């Protein structure tokens, strides 16, 4: 089912399929659970990217 009605999706969905970076990802649960999981993933990705940038800066300074 495809819908843009978030309330409807929250009531009837048991699994959300999302296209992320050209990959289909399955999220168990309703729409609100999907949103919460995506926010957690985005925060994790931002933290990892910041760590990468910090390490890159540190390595450049040591050269």
């Amino acid at each position: 089912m495809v819908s843009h009605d978030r309330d409807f999706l929250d009531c009837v969905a048991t699994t959300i399929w999302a296209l992320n970076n050209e990959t289909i990802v399955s999220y168990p649960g309703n729409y609100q659970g999907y949103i919460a999981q995506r926010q957690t993933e985005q925060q994790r990705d931002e933290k990892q990217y910041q760590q990468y940038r910090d390490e890159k800066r540190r390595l450049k300074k040591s050269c």
Side-chain angles (χ1 to χ4, degrees), residues 21-58:
N21 297 321
E22 299 179 3
T23 303
I24 296 174
V25 180
S26 173
Y27 294 91
N30 63 11
Y31 186 74
Q32 289 300 319
Y34 158 73
I35 293 297
Q37 191 168 352
R38 281 296 296 145
Q39 287 176 342
T40 300
E41 289 174 357
Q42 288 173 335
Q43 290 170 349
R44 182 202 62 219
D45 292 347
E46 288 172 13
K47 183 178 178 180
Q48 287 176 343
Y49 181 65
Q50 186 61 44
Q51 289 172 341
Y52 161 79
R53 291 181 59 200
D54 292 346
E55 179 69 5
K56 186 176 175 181
R57 268 191 232 117
R58 186 188 69 76

